[in-house]
Amino acid sequence: MFGLTRARKTAAAVLATAAAATTALIAAPSAVAAPEPVVGGTTTTTTAYPFMMQITDAAQNQFCGGTLVAPKKVVTAAHCMVGETTGSLRVVGGRTYLNGTNGTVSRVSKIWINPDYTDANDGDDVAVLTLSTSMPYTTASYVSSSQTGVYAAGTTARILGWGTTSENGSPSNQLRTATVPIVSDSSCRGSYGSDFIQSDMVCAGYASGGVDTCQGDSGGPLLIGGVLAGITSWGEGCAEAGYPGVYTRLTTFSNLVTTQVDS
C-alpha cells in the first residue's frame, strides 16, 4: 500500500527552544522527506494568495497548509489533524515567510474531521477548522458538489505550500507555487492501483514528474480556475515520474464542508 502523506510534524522533544525547533522538523510517521517544496515551483506571496494559511503548532512551527474559505473557517486535510487538539494548533494568515512575525495568528476553537476518515489512503481526507479570530483576508471560493467537470484530464491546476526543500532537509521559508495538469482517473489508477479511490481522490502532475507538492504541503489547496477544488493529501514520494500527487476530490465533500462553514 502507498501511504506517503504530505504533512510535516515538529519533534516534541525540541520544542523547548525555538532555535532547536527550527532545525528539528521531521516526517509524520507515514511520510517521507522529499527533494523540494512544491517541487519545480516558484516563490510567491500571501498577497497574491491571501487565503493561503499556515497551520502550525502552538509555537508557530508550520506543519500543514490550509485554505481560508470564510473569515473563521479553514479547509485542510484530515490527516493533518490526527492527534491534534484546539490547544495544540494555531492558524497563521498573511505571512509569506515561515520566519516572519507579521500577519494574523489565531487559535482554533473547533476541529471538524470527516467522521468517515481513517487514513489518507482510504479517502475522506478533509477537515475544517473554526478559528477564534477572524482573518482579515480575501477568502477562496470552493467547488460545489455538482461541479464534477472541473477535473477533466489536462485541466491546469495550481498548487501552493511551504514544503521541504531537500531530502531530509528544511522547509521552504517562502511560500511557493506551481501549476500541474489534472491526470485522468484511469492513469491515476494505473499508478496507484486500488489505493486510488476515484470518488474521493483526484491526481495532478506530469507523467515525467518534476513538479509536485511535497512534505509540508499537506492540507493546502489544489486550485482550478482560482477555485478550491482539491486538498493536498498524499503520493508516492514527490515529483516522481509515473506517480502524480493525490488530492482530496472536494466536490465529493463540498456539502459536508458547507455545513461546517455555515455552523
Side-chain angles (χ1 to χ4, degrees):
M1 173 182 283
F2 299 98
L4 307 178
T5 61
R6 296 183 171 187
R8 177 181 60 240
K9 299 308 293 281
T10 306
V14 300
L15 289 179
T17 65
T22 304
T23 59
L25 297 170
I26 64 169
S30 59
V32 294
E36 295 180 28
V38 181
V39 180
T42 58
T43 56
T44 189
T45 67
T46 54
T47 301
Y49 299 98
F51 46 77
M52 185 67 194
M53 301 284 112
Q54 294 180 26
I55 296 177
T56 78
D57 63 18
Q60 296 182 40
N61 298 297
Q62 184 266 347
F63 63 90
C64 276
T67 305
L68 188 74
V69 297
K72 286 190 172 183
K73 301 290 181 174
V74 173
V75 173
T76 188
H79 75 260
C80 288
M81 294 297 107
V82 173
E84 300 295 341
T85 66
T86 55
S88 71
L89 296 173
R90 301 291 185 272
V91 174
V92 182
R95 186 178 293 177
T96 295
Y97 297 91
L98 294 184
N99 66 353
T101 56
N102 62 318
T104 304
V105 181
S106 177
R107 290 177 176 266
V108 173
S109 61
K110 178 185 175 183
I111 301 170
W112 175 83
I113 298 174
N114 185 343
D116 293 329
Y117 174 79
T118 56
D119 184 87
N121 287 90
D122 295 327
D124 301 300
D125 194 10
V126 57
V128 178
L129 306 181
T130 301
L131 308 182
S132 301
T133 303
S134 292
M135 289 287 174
Y137 308 111
T138 302
T139 59
S141 57
Y142 58 93
V143 290
S144 69
S145 60
S146 64
Q147 291 179 285
T148 54
V150 300
Y151 305 112
T155 301
T156 298
R158 181 166 294 278
I159 50 180
L160 292 153
W162 287 272
T164 52
T165 57
S166 63
E167 182 129 3
N168 299 313
S170 301
S172 172
N173 188 47
Q174 183 172 356
L175 179 64
R176 292 178 68 90
T177 185
T179 56
V180 286
I182 298 297
V183 174
S184 70
D185 294 336
S186 59
S187 292
C188 193
R189 189 174 297 106
S191 296
Y192 291 111
S194 61
D195 281 339
F196 174 67
I197 301 171
Q198 182 174 328
S199 62
D200 291 14
M201 304 171 186
V202 62
C203 288
Y206 295 94
S208 58
V211 183
D212 199 3
T213 46
C214 208
Q215 184 189 356
D217 294 324
S218 278
L222 178 80
L223 303 171
I224 300 177
V227 175
L228 179 64
I231 303 165
T232 302
S233 185
W234 63 280
E236 173 65 18
C238 297
E240 291 188 14
Y243 291 103
V246 184
Y247 301 82
T248 301
R249 188 179 292 252
L250 193 54
T251 52
T252 299
F253 307 101
S254 180
N255 291 340
L256 286 173
V257 168
T258 296
T259 297
Q260 295 305 312
V261 170
D262 291 346
S263 66

